[in-house]
Amino acid sequence: GDVAVLVPAAGSGVRLGPGAPKALRLLGGEPLLVHAVRRVAAAPSVRVIVVAAPAAEVEAVRELLAAVAPVIVVAGGAERQDSVAAALAVVPADVAIVLVHDAARALTPPELVESVAAAVRGGHPAVIPALPVVDTIKEVGTGETVLGTVDRSVLRSVQTPQGFRHDVLAAAHRACLDAHTDDAGMVEKAGVPVVCVPGSELALKITRPLDLIIAEALLHVP
Ligand code: C5P
């Protein structure tokens, strides 16, 4: 394998309601992080998996994942971007491709990991899985007044894992001073072309209580 996958899992998950850190919430009796790591580890290209855990849970996460796959566990940071940087710092220099995932996308199939990695290997420096937007999107101003309707055909809903040439992601992190909600955002800012490949409905981000119910149902889809 020529791929490292970073799995930021240090978020608190406030939008999911009170309870354990999000990555440790149970889905079908197992933590989201276990589901995510198991599927990543099943992708043949993956050589290294680095998990960024909540600082207080590093040892517990190491024990939890020991039976799932060989992983490196580091302490995450205050923002997702800090957790990604902490995980990126321990990736061996000879790994050519780095994918950045979300523990919250627990049902992401190994095939999506492979297709993103393959597109990077094929020559794209930055690759993101994306789906068409289903809702009509409005831009609003003060008082929720609609300013206009955005042309939906040019919009994409973006998922993870996002894949990068190792040097491209490392350079973007070194250069980055402001906040980004995804890793490709940082790379775009650096002027690197980013290309979309088809995403997967199974890669949904488990964020709100309804998402857990949907994920629970998807677990039982054959
Ligand atoms: O908060 P958000 O939904 O964007 O989180 C996406 C992923 O980033 C989750 O897997 C979460 O655990 C992780 N995260 C992190 N460190 C943070 C915040 C979020 O690893 N400080």
Side-chain angles (χ1 to χ4, degrees), residues 7-13 15 21-23 52-54 76-84 101-105 181 205-207:
V7 186
S12 58
R15 287 168 294 180
K22 177 157 77 172
E79 302 297 331
R80 182 182 181 281
Q81 203 168 311
D82 304 318
S83 298
V84 172
H101 197 22
D102 278 332
R105 298 187 189 272
T181 54
K205 185 173 175 193
I206 300 169
T207 306

Side-chain angles (χ1 to χ4, degrees), residues 128 130-137 149-158 196:
I128 61 178
L131 291 175
V133 171
V134 290
D135 293 308
T136 293
I137 309 283
T149 304
V150 186
D151 174 13
R152 187 168 69 186
S153 70
V154 300
L155 298 179
R156 298 291 178 270
S157 202
V158 167
C196 297

Side-chain angles (χ1 to χ4, degrees), residues 126 128 158 162 164 180 182-189 192 194:
I128 61 178
V158 167
Q162 300 189 344
F164 307 93
H180 291 274
D182 75 344
D183 303 280
M186 221 177 273
V187 168
E188 287 156 38
K189 203 75 168 279
V192 176
V194 178

